[in-house]
Amino acid sequence: QVQLVESGGGSVQPGGSLRLSCAASGYTFSRRCMGWFRQAPGKEREGLASIFTHDGEIYYADSVKGRFSISQDNTNGTVWLQMNSLKPEDTGMYYCAAGLSELGSWCDDLTSPGYTYWGQGTQVTVSS
């Protein structure tokens, strides 16, 4: 059984920062694509960033480059998303996801077809 649990969401003013955590369990974390996605009401799900846990290769969506950073701790099976310079447009439900296979070649496909396991989400609200 694979479980992904997000935490760290909340309310923040524009320009503020949040760090989201994804705690993974129930599978081999050391060679997986791990991604962060978000969905706002009335909008399509959007891929934000991914990391291949085997070698740390990282990919970002253009919309968050320079503001968001993804990182990992293979020791405890955690993936983080550091979000800086937050904007009201960043408001939404943020999800952590993991791939089924141990291949990393598709980690950069943030349209999400390769991501099999999903967390419950954590809400991020950016407003003044």
Side-chain angles (χ1 to χ4, degrees), residues 2-128:
V2 175
Q3 292 184 334
L4 303 174
V5 180
E6 303 96 333
S7 62
S11 297
V12 65
Q13 293 182 332
S17 298
L18 287 172
R19 186 169 72 170
L20 307 183
S21 298
C22 174
S25 63
Y27 72 108
T28 303
F29 179 81
S30 61
R31 198 182 180 101
R32 302 284 178 179
C33 292
M34 301 289 296
W36 282 99
F37 300 79
R38 70 184 177 194
Q39 188 165 24
K43 296 184 178 180
E44 297 285 339
R45 184 175 61 198
E46 178 185 14
L48 305 175
S50 67
I51 186 168
F52 185 46
T53 60
H54 180 62
D55 60 8
E57 186 75 10
I58 290 171
Y59 307 92
Y60 292 108
D62 290 341
S63 61
V64 303
K65 286 182 179 177
R67 297 192 300 124
F68 291 11
S69 298
I70 190 171
S71 59
Q72 66 173 347
D73 184 345
N74 284 342
T75 301
N76 59 19
T78 301
V79 176
W80 293 285
L81 184 68
Q82 177 68 45
M83 306 187 296
N84 299 322
S85 301
L86 284 164
K87 306 173 182 179
E89 306 93 270
D90 295 317
T91 295
M93 186 70 72
Y94 283 67
Y95 298 92
C96 175
L100 174 64
S101 76
E102 296 186 349
L103 299 175
S105 60
W106 54 268
C107 288
D108 61 343
D109 185 0
L110 293 173
T111 63
S112 77
Y115 291 92
T116 302
Y117 306 104
W118 296 80
Q120 84 289 346
T122 184
Q123 178 68 37
V124 172
T125 302
V126 185
S127 66
S128 57

